[in-house]
């Protein structure tokens, strides 16, 4: 797959069109926009015809010096030049974060911190399509890939998610090759699928300004299918072999619940089933599909990487904040108790000194 520049990556926000500043040229240039006519809008069967070079833009990550007092992870050279699918094809192992708060600020911080991708989670997060869009804007500003996890595997949810232009889409509860094939069909326009089309006016095609969108969208979009039930685990190899499935994403919590161990995802039985899924996907049954997973307390991101996972999600934004907040409070309470104990000891010493002084007199 050819390298894709940030300029051609459809997840990036479209550049601004600049007009001349003189009053005469400004009025002339804006007239077609102020007075729409039938020639002002192209047919919905075609994208707006503009020269690609006039739209190219490069979004470079911010640079900090040691004087700024900010230490951020440095993205690999491929980070700003290739999309997720291309990076996986080049053999990279990618590290990401799940975003449940739908906070654009946290999304941007995650990107600037160096995560390779962020999963905006519409399955367990509170937000929907309109909440996800600002997060995609923030991630694009930080040159970081977005993956949208939809609440259910349906053509309607897939269509609305894909129109936003994420680099990847994640389908939950894929238990069979049949469901995997349906998921792929939801991502493709006819005749290859059933995805509804508004490509000349949606963000995925830069609102019609990306002339090559229809030619490239299939090869650029990363399709992820979640295996998170006992039935899905049994058929993981078949699911991974479905044409168009790029990643099999493990769902450890739902899988443990399906096996009867919701309260114990690290149970031996759950580990055995996870191992069987890994073997099925990595042992040739997947025919090129990558394995993706979410780190757990008993199974950290380093362990997943060593076992061959190519996309590793190490944390959830809510969990990171919860842990940081709890630790911050703990440190304060501990230091307060320590200070009180120190002060009490000091007061006691003073009392003893006064008593000694009294009796010595």
């Amino acid at each position: 797959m050819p390298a894709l520049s940030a300029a051609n990556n459809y997840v990036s926000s479209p550049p601004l069109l600049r007009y001349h500043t003189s009053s005469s040229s400004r009025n002339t240039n804006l007239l077609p926009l102020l007075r729409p006519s039938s020639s002002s809008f192209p047919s919905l069967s075609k994208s707006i015809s503009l020269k690609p070079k006039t739209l190219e833009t490069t979004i470079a990550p911010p640079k900090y010096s040691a004087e700024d007092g900010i230490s951020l992870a440095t993205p690999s050279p491929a980070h700003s030049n290739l999309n997720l699918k291309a990076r996986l094809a080049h053999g990279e192992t990618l590290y990401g974060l799940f975003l449940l708060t739908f906070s654009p600020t946290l999304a941007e911080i995650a990107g600037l911190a160096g995560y390779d991708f962020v999963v905006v989670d519409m399955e367990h997060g509170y937000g929907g399509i309109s909440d996800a869009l600002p997060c995609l804007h923030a991630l694009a500003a930080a040159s970081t890939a977005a993956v949208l996890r939809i609440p259910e595997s349906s053509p309607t949810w897939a269509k609305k998610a894909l129109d936003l232009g994420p680099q990847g889409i994640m389908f939950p509860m894929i238990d069979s090759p049949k469901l995997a094939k349906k998921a792929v069909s939801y991502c493709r326009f006819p005749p290859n699928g059933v995805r509804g089309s508004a490509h000349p006016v949606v963000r995925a095609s830069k609102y019609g300004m990306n002339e090559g969108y229809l030619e490239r969208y299939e090869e650029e979009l990363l399709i992820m299918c979640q295996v998170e039930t006992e039935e899905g685990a049994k058929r993981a190899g078949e699911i991974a072999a479905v044409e168009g499935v790029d990643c099999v994403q493990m769902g450890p919590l739902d899988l443990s619940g399906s096996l009867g161990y919701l309260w114990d995802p690290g149970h031996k039985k759950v580990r055995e089933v996870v191992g069987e899924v890994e073997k099925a996907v990595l042992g040739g049954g997947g025919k090129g599909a990558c394995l993706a997973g979410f780190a757990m307390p008993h199974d950290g991101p380093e362990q997943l990487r060593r076992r061959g996972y190519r996309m590793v999600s190490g944390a959830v934004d809510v969990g990171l904040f919860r842990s940081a907040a709890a630790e911050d409070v703990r440190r304060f309470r501990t230091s307060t108790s320590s200070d009180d104990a120190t002060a009490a000891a000091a007061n006691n010493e003073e009392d003893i000194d006064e008593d000694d002084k009294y009796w010595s007199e």
Side-chain angles (χ1 to χ4, degrees):
M1 183 178 294
L4 301 173
S5 68
N8 297 324
N9 192 337
Y10 61 80
V11 76
S12 301
S13 298
L16 297 174
L17 300 180
R18 299 184 180 276
Y19 295 95
H20 296 291
T21 56
S22 67
S23 59
S24 59
S25 61
R26 181 170 63 250
N27 294 336
T28 302
N29 286 331
L30 290 179
L31 264 174
L33 300 179
L34 297 173
R35 299 178 182 175
S37 64
S38 59
S39 61
S40 300
F41 297 91
S43 167
L44 286 179
S45 63
K46 297 181 180 180
S47 296
I48 297 172
S49 178
L50 293 172
K51 294 181 180 180
K53 287 186 178 180
T54 64
L55 295 174
E56 288 184 356
T57 182
T58 300
I59 301 176
K63 296 180 180 180
Y64 298 101
S65 67
E67 297 176 354
D68 295 315
I70 299 176
S71 176
L72 297 178
T74 303
S76 65
H79 182 75
S80 59
N81 297 324
L82 300 177
N83 60 32
L84 287 178
K85 195 168 181 177
R87 294 180 69 183
L88 290 170
H90 280 71
E92 290 191 59
T93 297
L94 307 177
Y95 190 57
L97 173 81
F98 271 61
L99 189 81
L100 270 68
T101 62
F102 283 77
S103 165
T105 298
L106 293 183
E108 188 173 25
I109 290 172
L112 295 174
Y115 285 104
D116 297 304
F117 64 92
V118 171
V119 179
V120 181
D121 190 359
M122 293 189 291
E123 183 184 14
H124 292 294
Y126 69 81
I129 294 295
S130 58
D131 303 293
L133 181 57
C135 296
L136 267 65
H137 289 156
L139 290 168
S143 299
T144 302
V147 175
L148 289 181
R149 178 158 77 163
I150 56 180
E152 63 180 21
S153 296
S154 71
T156 300
W157 272 108
K159 173 175 58 180
K160 292 182 74 66
L162 293 172
D163 281 351
L164 294 187
Q167 286 196 25
I169 184 169
M170 187 182 296
F171 291 91
M173 295 291 178
I174 300 298
D175 295 336
S176 68
K178 181 179 179 179
L179 289 177
K181 290 177 182 177
K182 284 187 175 183
V184 173
S185 75
Y186 300 157
C187 298
R188 294 178 174 175
F189 297 117
N192 299 329
V194 297
R195 178 182 171 188
S197 177
H199 61 274
V201 292
V202 296
R203 184 174 185 269
S205 65
K206 292 186 177 179
Y207 306 100
M209 292 183 279
N210 180 354
E211 288 185 311
Y213 175 68
L214 290 180
E215 288 73 30
R216 294 197 299 265
Y217 81 94
E218 283 190 24
E219 68 182 55
E220 294 179 351
L221 178 65
L222 186 76
I223 299 176
M224 307 177 71
C225 289
Q226 283 196 268
V227 169
E228 44 191 345
T229 65
E230 185 174 11
E231 179 61 25
K234 291 177 181 177
R235 308 191 70 179
E238 298 173 72
I239 292 169
V242 170
E243 189 275 328
V245 174
D246 300 302
C247 275
V248 171
Q249 169 80 31
M250 290 297 300
L253 288 178
D254 281 314
L255 179 59
S256 64
S258 176
L259 294 170
Y261 300 99
L262 181 60
W263 66 93
D264 187 12
H267 192 277
K268 179 181 178 181
K269 176 62 177 178
V270 180
R271 287 173 175 267
E272 289 175 355
V273 173
V274 169
E276 292 169 3
V277 173
E278 293 172 354
K279 183 178 179 181
V281 177
L282 298 174
K287 296 182 180 179
C290 297
L291 185 61
F294 190 84
M296 299 289 287
H298 65 276
D299 199 11
E302 296 82 6
Q303 293 171 280
L304 296 181
R305 178 173 57 184
R306 285 195 293 268
R307 296 206 304 274
Y309 284 74
R310 299 288 305 286
M311 292 183 74
V312 177
S313 297
V316 178
D317 61 341
V318 174
L320 285 176
F321 181 77
R322 176 204 61 207
S323 298
E327 175 61 17
D328 183 53
V329 172
R330 186 199 65 79
R331 281 199 307 265
F332 179 78
R333 301 300 186 204
T334 302
S335 65
T336 301
S337 299
S338 177
D339 291 344
D340 290 344
T342 301
N347 290 335
N348 188 44
E349 289 179 2
E350 290 178 4
D351 292 342
I352 292 174
D353 290 343
E354 289 296 326
D355 289 343
D356 288 344
K357 181 179 180 181
Y358 174 81
W359 289 111
S360 65
E361 293 177 344

